[in-house]
Amino acid sequence: SPRYTGDGLALHALLAPLNITAETSDAVIAMCDDAGKKLVQAARWGSSAHHLRRFADLLRVVFGAASEPSTYRVCVTEAAELSGAAGRGAATASKGARRMLGYWCQDPGVGMRALVAGGVRSVLLTSGTLSPLGSFASELGIPFPHRLENPHVIRAKQILVGVVPSGPSGVELTSKFTHRETPQYKAELGNALVNVARLVPQGVLVFFPSMAALSGAAEQWGKRGSDGGPTVLERLEKHKRVIIEPRGQAEVAPVIERFKEHVAIAERTGVGGAVLFAVCRGRLSEGVDFSDSACRAVVITGLPLPPVYDPKVALKREYLDVCRRHSTGRLSGHEWYDQQAMRAVNQAIGRVIRHVRDYGAVLLFESRFKLPKYREGLSVWLRAHVRVFDQFGQVAVALPRFYREATPDGPTPEQRRLAEAVAQRQSVSQAAPTAPARQRENLQCRPAVPVASAPAPPPLLDVLQAARGQTSRCAPLRAPPQQQALAALPTPKGEKHEQQPRQQQQPPPPP
């Protein structure tokens, strides 16, 4: 779409005709704050107050004492109205296009330098996706004399990282723009995922580069071919339940719960499970714990490169290229572009290992991972385990072997959880009084009534002793299995074992 761009000083030029300058900005900010407070009192005008607060915050950034206009970029774009609700279509259509103003900082060092100027003495940055540290530190603009990049706490047998450049039929697996929309690629990717669902136990996470890529693949996988055979989704459902990441935030929690319910069933039965289709940089790629059986494999179906024509992305690449020409050691726009994809990949891969006893596989369905520059963008703890599978058949051999060797010797976390649940259920059932027990309690509460009854049966201990005595008299004969079991019972407390044959005891009188 048409756009106007410029550096931070260009916004000063846009605001000057409105008499908003460095000298008048404080008064305008105060007016916005006062008007916002009055509008908040009337709930029906709450949205207007929100926009006023945002405009006041913009002026504070533009004309603030710590402002660095050279590190900002202004972008004004024209976009057609997207609201087409009933009753508003005619009004919005008559207005034509609308303009959106963006004022974006291109240098994260602005914020870090502000922290140091505010008196912060130490800054500690920790994350699993800071790699590579050198370029990351240079972007922040402050020195980091101490840097640490550790391996993982797991052992080598607990992780499998495989680059899969082609599918079962030999078609290349890559998310390049010229290749990812072809029916051949989508069919090959679907066949590869069917094999993964068959070979991987319990839960599988499949990450797509974008929501558009996920929707396009799922749409084709739901269609039948010319031969009338089952669809890709139907073939997947034979092995695992297929669940797709929703677009709305409110639907995320129910989707995660349904996914884990199917995984729990696979834990108990040993078959089935679930496969979750998600998006890199999406809601399910970070902040959600898929530990143990919830994620026995992560599949990356392409490089999640940022949209190249997005104004923010284009201006960021342009800014970095200008800085690269004036100073050495800075990232170029292309290098930054690739790193954004690798950070999203590392974030998604982090779902597979969540603690020291966890294990899982990482499958990179992207031929570009054969190039060293993309493998070097992976986190340090992954690089030493990367294997390149020249043929898809090698994956079908490696996965079952990996899960056989990776299974821990002791009980797995899911087995411990099941055992605890069974023990808790048994304790609850023992604590609850049974029907006969309640009947006895009711009988004890009734008044005693003399009733003629038969003599009580002999105690169980006397019966056992009689059985032992009868057995000892028939030494030449072998006791039946039931009597052998009775003889093997532990001796009651206070009774001593006798080496000599016991004296015959008189059986109790019959009832």
Side-chain angles (χ1 to χ4, degrees):
S1 60
R3 68 179 65 160
Y4 163 80
T5 60
D7 59 10
L9 294 176
L11 185 57
H12 290 241
L14 291 175
L15 296 175
L18 303 175
N19 197 24
I20 301 177
T21 62
E23 292 75 17
T24 63
S25 60
D26 292 339
V28 176
I29 292 172
M31 290 172 56
C32 292
D33 292 339
D34 293 339
K37 292 177 182 178
K38 293 179 180 179
L39 288 173
V40 167
Q41 296 174 0
R44 53 186 289 184
W45 304 111
S47 60
S48 298
H50 171 68
H51 294 313
L52 280 174
R53 285 194 295 266
R54 292 185 62 185
F55 183 69
D57 292 339
L58 170 66
L59 296 182
R60 290 187 180 95
V61 173
V62 173
F63 298 106
S67 175
E68 300 181 21
S70 61
T71 61
Y72 284 82
R73 289 294 181 268
V74 176
C75 181
V76 180
T77 58
E78 293 184 357
E81 288 283 354
L82 299 178
S83 58
R88 299 176 56 190
T92 55
S94 62
K95 293 179 182 178
R98 64 177 180 178
R99 292 177 178 176
M100 294 179 292
L101 170 66
Y103 188 67
W104 301 316
C105 180
Q106 306 298 323
D107 187 356
V110 173
M112 301 302 294
R113 289 190 292 270
L115 286 176
V116 175
V120 174
R121 300 178 58 184
S122 300
V123 178
L124 178 64
L125 303 180
T126 62
S127 176
T129 56
L130 299 182
S131 175
L133 294 182
S135 61
F136 185 80
S138 66
E139 276 194 276
L140 298 182
I142 61 175
F144 285 91
H146 306 290
R147 304 177 187 181
L148 180 63
E149 203 167 3
N150 285 331
H152 213 291
V153 296
I154 61 173
R155 294 176 292 178
K157 74 171 189 175
Q158 294 174 250
I159 185 70
L160 181 148
V161 185
V163 177
V164 187
S166 59
S169 302
V171 177
E172 182 183 11
L173 297 177
T174 181
S175 62
K176 293 179 182 179
F177 180 75
T178 57
H179 188 73
R180 66 188 180 201
E181 294 300 327
T182 61
Q184 294 80 7
Y185 165 72
K186 292 180 181 179
E188 190 76 353
L189 179 61
N191 292 333
L193 291 178
V194 170
N195 282 274
V196 170
R198 176 176 59 87
L199 297 171
V200 177
Q202 300 162 351
V204 180
L205 303 183
V206 181
F207 288 98
F208 292 79
S210 64
M211 181 60 74
L214 191 161
S215 302
E219 181 180 359
Q220 177 165 329
W221 293 342
K223 299 178 181 178
R224 296 189 182 277
S226 57
D227 57 353
T231 66
V232 173
L233 293 180
E234 290 173 345
R235 293 163 57 201
L236 282 169
E237 289 280 354
K238 291 182 179 180
H239 305 287
K240 298 184 186 297
R241 180 59 57 91
V242 178
I243 299 175
I244 300 177
E245 177 181 358
R247 292 181 179 269
Q249 175 65 33
E251 304 172 2
V252 172
V255 163
I256 296 175
E257 182 179 357
R258 188 164 72 253
F259 171 77
K260 293 187 175 182
E261 286 176 356
H262 289 289
V263 172
I265 295 174
E267 292 180 15
R268 296 192 297 268
T269 61
V271 295
V275 54
L276 178 60
F277 291 167
V279 180
C280 290
R281 299 190 191 90
R283 301 179 183 91
L284 301 180
S285 65
E286 55 181 316
V288 182
D289 186 17
F290 292 103
S291 59
D292 300 322
S293 59
C295 182
R296 288 302 178 207
V298 165
V299 181
I300 305 295
T301 63
L303 283 176
L305 294 166
V308 66
Y309 296 110
D310 184 273
K312 288 185 178 180
V313 175
L315 289 175
K316 178 70 173 182
R317 296 180 65 175
E318 177 186 339
Y319 173 81
L320 290 175
D321 288 337
V322 171
C323 294
R324 178 73 173 265
R325 289 195 294 265
H326 292 85
S327 62
T328 59
R330 297 292 297 267
L331 277 176
S332 67
H334 183 71
E335 291 171 342
W336 171 85
Y337 187 69
D338 286 340
Q339 283 189 9
Q340 299 311 299
M342 294 311 304
R343 288 202 170 101
V345 167
N346 289 327
Q347 190 73 49
I349 291 176
R351 306 305 97 199
V352 72
I353 301 293
R354 308 302 294 174
H355 56 82
V356 67
R357 293 178 61 86
D358 208 352
Y359 62 93
V362 177
L363 300 176
L364 305 172
F365 283 7
E366 171 59 67
S367 61
R368 283 176 285 185
F369 277 106
K370 293 193 299 182
L371 301 177
K373 74 170 185 175
Y374 289 111
R375 292 207 300 270
E376 291 172 0
L378 296 172
S379 298
V380 170
W381 68 275
L382 290 168
R383 296 175 199 166
H385 307 288
V386 176
R387 300 167 53 186
V388 178
F389 295 106
D390 297 326
Q391 298 178 352
F392 193 85
Q394 298 174 348
V395 182
V397 174
L399 281 176
R401 182 188 302 128
F402 164 74
Y403 289 110
R404 286 195 303 268
E405 298 175 354
T407 304
D409 299 332
T412 61
E414 53 264 28
Q415 290 173 343
R416 289 196 296 269
R417 286 196 298 268
L418 289 174
E420 293 173 359
V422 171
Q424 184 178 6
R425 193 179 301 113
Q426 290 177 348
S427 63
V428 171
S429 62
Q430 292 175 359
T434 59
R438 287 194 294 268
Q439 293 175 2
R440 288 195 299 270
E441 292 176 359
N442 295 335
L443 290 175
Q444 291 175 359
C445 296
R446 296 177 182 176
V449 179
V451 179
S453 60
L460 178 61
L461 180 60
D462 295 341
V463 175
L464 294 178
Q465 291 176 350
R468 290 175 180 173
Q470 293 172 2
T471 304
S472 63
R473 287 183 300 171
C474 305
L477 299 177
R478 184 174 180 83
Q482 294 85 352
Q483 293 188 5
Q484 292 181 16
L486 291 174
L489 290 174
T491 305
K493 189 175 182 179
E495 180 180 350
K496 299 181 180 179
H497 292 280
E498 299 180 7
Q499 301 296 334
Q500 301 297 329
R502 298 172 60 121
Q503 296 182 357
Q504 182 177 358
Q505 298 181 3
Q506 297 295 331

